[in-house]
Every structure is written in C-alpha cells, then in structure tokens.
C-alpha cells in the first residue's frame, strides 16, 4: 500500500537503516527481485556506480527493449521511464522520484504540439526522445542526439518535416543535412546556459584542451567545438582522442564516466552564463539519490504508468527509431 505522504512528495522518504551497506543491499534486492537498474550518464556518480547499465537515451531504450528483467528501475528522468514502460508494458517500471521531470519535455506540452502539427499538414513529425508519451503519440519517428542526423537523412529528400522540441538540435541537424525542417521552439535548461565567452577564456588557460559540445547547445557554442555529439559520442571521443585535456559543454554528470574510463586525462566542465548557480547540472537528474533508489526497490514504488491508448500510439515512433537505428548499425 502506498503511503499518502509518499504520494504527496512523489517519492519514498523512509529512513534507511544506518547499519546497512546501502549499495550492497541495493544489489541484493536486484538479484532477489530480478530487477535491472538503468542509469543515465547525467545522474550522480554514486548512482552510476550501483547501476547495471549506464547509457544515453538511445542505449537505455535499446536495453529496455531487450531485457528479461521483471523490474526496470530507471535512474533518470520521467520521460525515460515512460519510454521503458511503453516498450515493456508487462514489466514493472520504477523511478526513484516522480518529480524528476525534464525542462525540454515540459517545453513541449502534448496538446500544444498536436495543434502545431495540425497547423502543418503533410509534414513528417520527428520528435526528440526528450518528450512526454503524449507528445510521442503525435509523432511519426522518435530520435535521440545519437541518431537524429541519420534518421532525418533516411527520410525522403523532399519530405517536409516538423522537428521538436529542441530548437538548437533541430537547427544543428538542418545545418548538417541541408533540410529546412519546421522547428518547435523548445530548449534544455542545462544546455541553453553555456557561455561562449567563458569557454573561450577557459580555452586560453588550457590552449591544448579540446572543446566537446552537445548539439542541444546554442549555435555559437556549437561553432567553437572540436567535437559535437551526443553524450555517448562525446564519451567515446574523449577516450579515443589523443588530447589529454577536454572542456566539456554538456551536463556535468558525464564527467564521472569520462574520468572512470580515461583516468589519466583531465575533464573540465564548461562554465554557464550565471556563475552563481550550477547551471551545467540537470536539477531533475540530481533528484535521483541513493536513499530514494533503495526505498524505490524495497517498496517497488514510485512506478510509471502510461495510459494504454497513449502507449499504443507512442510505441510506433519509438519502435521505428529502434528499427532504423538497427538498420544503420547505431
């Protein structure tokens, strides 16, 4: 039975016994319950350390589609849990805190986006994975930053396209493909905040550093990058490239995995416009804590629910993304 105070808070705040090894207990419960913990690169390092699988949005969706676990615990934000539930309707999908939303998903309410789509008849609708299930339900194909260019390229050259909700990513894909997609004006609160001037100042202090930039960043930030790519692509580049110092313009949680896989290299988080706040961190991702994860597994709540009629529509563009990605070897 779900406690009323849990419902009000959106997570379970029961005290964790001080004497236990919380990481070991989480792993014990996973084995007992046949549960899979999946974590996004933007979560806290301690969450990534205890997870079974770490990845970007594409990898997390691919893993969810193939797992034989009975329970999926999504250590990320709400739309990721929804994607897992849509792909695995018969599995229990948990998220440690229901308040872990996404500023980009929130910037594109499903009803408003549907009106936008209806105002542009005949367009193929391409939606970034950072959207609610309701928005995906009015979409033809979902993309991530790992596969957006390739999926757009796979569409007929003369096809008029709507791209939402991230304007910066859509604009970047337009520049790479020569398309003129109609863009929804949404943005990520983390990637919008990086400062060109401060990054260039940092570059002067470390002239040998290479600048890594996520395509959700504004155009001027993208233009000064040595490498533009998804979190997974930036991670791979940081490991494979000969450079020893990197300035990283994406959510700072990725630095944990970069440092783990390339311990001899130096990774510097790119500074935001506002130096008084941690604007290069996703406030929502940081809501996922070890105590919440422990309680989530113990009580098997909060769980993700998606209305069947929405899921029936939303699964089609997600499956199309996975199918095209597989065909392209992504």
């Amino acid at each position: 039975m779900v406690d009323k105070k849990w419902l009000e808070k959106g997570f379970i705040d029961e005290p964790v016994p001080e004497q236990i090894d919380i990481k070991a207990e989480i792993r014990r419960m996973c084995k007992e319950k046949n549960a899979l913990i999946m974590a996004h690169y933007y979560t806290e390092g301690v969450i990534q350390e205890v997870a079974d699988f770490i990845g970007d949005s594409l990898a997390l969706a691919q893993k969810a589609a193939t797992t034989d676990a009975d329970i999926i615990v999504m250590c990320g934000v709400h739309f990721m849990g929804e994607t897992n539930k849509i792909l695995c309707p018969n599995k229990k999908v948990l998220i440690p805190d229901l308040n872990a939303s996404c500023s980009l998903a929130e910037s594109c309410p499903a009803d408003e986006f549907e009106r936008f789509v209806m105002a542009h008849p005949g367009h193929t609708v391409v939606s970034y994975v950072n959207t609610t299930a309701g928005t995906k339900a009015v979409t033809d194909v979902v993309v991530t930053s790992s596969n957006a260019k390739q999926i757009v390229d796979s569409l007929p050259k003369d096809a008029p396209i709507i791209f939402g909700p991230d304007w910066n990513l859509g604009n970047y894909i337009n520049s790479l493909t020569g398309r003129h997609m109609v863009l929804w004006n949404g943005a990520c609160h983390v990637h919008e905040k990086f400062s060109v001037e401060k990054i260039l100042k940092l570059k002067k202090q470390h002239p040998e550093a290479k600048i890594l930039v996520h395509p959700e960043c504004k155009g001027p930030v993208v233009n000064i990058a040595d490498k533009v790519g998804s979190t997974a692509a930036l991670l791979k580049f940081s490991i494979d490239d000969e450079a020893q110092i990197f300035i990283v313009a994406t959510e700072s949680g990725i630095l944990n995995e970069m440092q783990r896989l390339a311990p001899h290299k130096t990774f510097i988080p790119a500074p935001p416009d506002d130096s008084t706040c941690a604007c290069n961190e996703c406030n929502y991702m940081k809501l996922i804590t070890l105590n919440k994860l422990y309680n989530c597994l113990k009580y098997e709540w909060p769980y993700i629910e998606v209305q069947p009629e929405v899921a029936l529509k939303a699964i089609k563009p997600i499956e199309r993304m996975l199918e095209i990605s597989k065909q392209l070897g992504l």
Side-chain angles (χ1 to χ4, degrees):
M1 183 176 178
V2 180
D3 193 297
K4 184 179 178 181
K5 67 177 182 179
W6 301 349
L7 288 169
E8 291 173 350
K9 292 186 175 183
F11 62 91
I12 301 171
D13 62 348
E14 298 297 325
V16 177
E18 293 182 7
Q19 68 275 17
I20 71 165
D21 181 335
I22 189 169
K23 290 184 179 179
E25 186 61 16
I26 286 171
R27 295 310 318 160
R28 185 196 67 77
M29 286 192 288
C30 281
K31 186 175 181 180
E32 177 187 291
K33 296 169 182 275
N34 189 26
L36 175 78
I37 298 176
M38 298 204 297
H40 193 275
Y41 288 127
Y42 294 169
T43 53
E44 296 278 8
V46 69
I47 298 296
Q48 297 182 40
E49 289 167 12
V50 79
D52 295 287
F53 183 81
I54 311 164
D56 63 0
S57 295
L58 175 59
L60 293 171
Q62 290 170 328
K63 183 67 175 178
T66 58
T67 183
D68 59 0
D70 295 318
I71 296 174
I72 297 173
V73 187
M74 184 64 248
C75 292
V77 292
H78 195 272
F79 79 79
M80 297 175 181
E82 283 188 330
T83 300
N84 292 345
K85 185 62 179 177
I86 291 166
L87 288 168
C88 309
N90 297 322
K91 298 184 186 296
K92 181 174 283 189
V93 177
L94 307 176
I95 185 168
D97 191 335
L98 288 171
N99 300 298
S101 183
C102 168
S103 60
L104 187 51
E106 289 179 354
S107 75
C108 189
D111 56 344
E112 294 181 24
F113 190 65
E114 184 174 17
R115 288 195 290 272
F116 185 76
V117 169
M118 291 176 67
H120 297 84
H123 284 60
T124 298
V125 183
V126 178
S127 287
Y128 198 25
V129 71
N130 298 44
T131 46
T132 65
T135 297
K136 290 180 176 73
V138 293
T139 295
D140 294 305
V141 60
V142 169
V143 299
T144 72
S145 51
S146 294
N147 60 23
K149 177 186 180 298
Q150 294 92 327
I151 288 179
V152 169
D153 275 337
S154 75
L155 300 175
K157 296 299 181 185
D158 58 348
I161 299 171
I162 290 172
F163 186 94
D166 192 282
W167 192 93
N168 290 323
L169 178 60
N171 189 53
Y172 177 66
I173 299 303
N174 272 342
S175 72
L176 293 180
T177 62
R179 302 267 185 163
H180 300 281
M181 298 186 296
V182 178
L183 307 180
W184 177 270
N185 190 22
C188 165
H189 80 278
V190 174
H191 293 97
E192 275 276 288
K193 299 295 185 181
F194 290 111
S195 164
V196 171
E197 292 76 15
K198 290 183 179 180
I199 292 174
L200 291 177
K201 184 178 179 181
L202 201 55
K203 173 75 172 177
K204 283 186 178 180
Q205 296 171 16
H206 305 279
E208 71 280 27
K210 288 193 175 180
I211 300 171
L212 309 183
V213 173
H214 194 282
E216 287 179 31
C217 293
K218 292 180 178 179
V221 176
V222 169
N223 291 339
I224 63 172
D226 294 291
K227 172 65 178 179
V228 181
S230 66
T231 46
L234 297 182
L235 175 61
K236 186 177 187 304
F237 184 88
S238 72
I239 297 165
D240 295 343
D241 193 77
E242 61 186 16
Q244 297 299 300
I245 302 178
F246 298 90
I247 298 168
V248 185
T250 189
E251 213 280 348
S252 58
I254 189 62
L255 271 67
N256 180 78
E257 190 70 354
M258 287 178 169
Q259 199 69 73
R260 186 182 74 82
L261 295 174
H264 57 290
K265 296 187 179 185
T266 300
F267 300 97
I268 306 169
D273 283 318
D274 184 355
S275 59
T276 65
C277 71
C279 298
N280 59 353
E281 292 187 352
C282 175
N283 299 330
Y284 297 113
M285 288 284 188
K286 299 323 183 214
L287 291 176
I288 308 301
T289 66
L290 206 58
N291 281 14
K292 289 176 183 176
L293 173 55
Y294 169 87
N295 279 321
C296 175
L297 258 174
K298 181 178 180 180
Y299 296 99
E300 297 184 19
W301 191 87
Y303 49 79
I304 298 289
E305 294 181 289
V306 179
Q307 294 178 353
E309 61 272 21
V310 173
L312 191 64
K313 295 178 181 178
I315 194 170
K316 295 177 183 178
I318 297 172
E319 287 182 334
R320 188 176 179 191
M321 173 189 73
L322 294 175
E323 181 183 346
I324 294 173
S325 295
K326 186 176 181 180
Q327 291 171 354
L328 297 173
L330 300 175

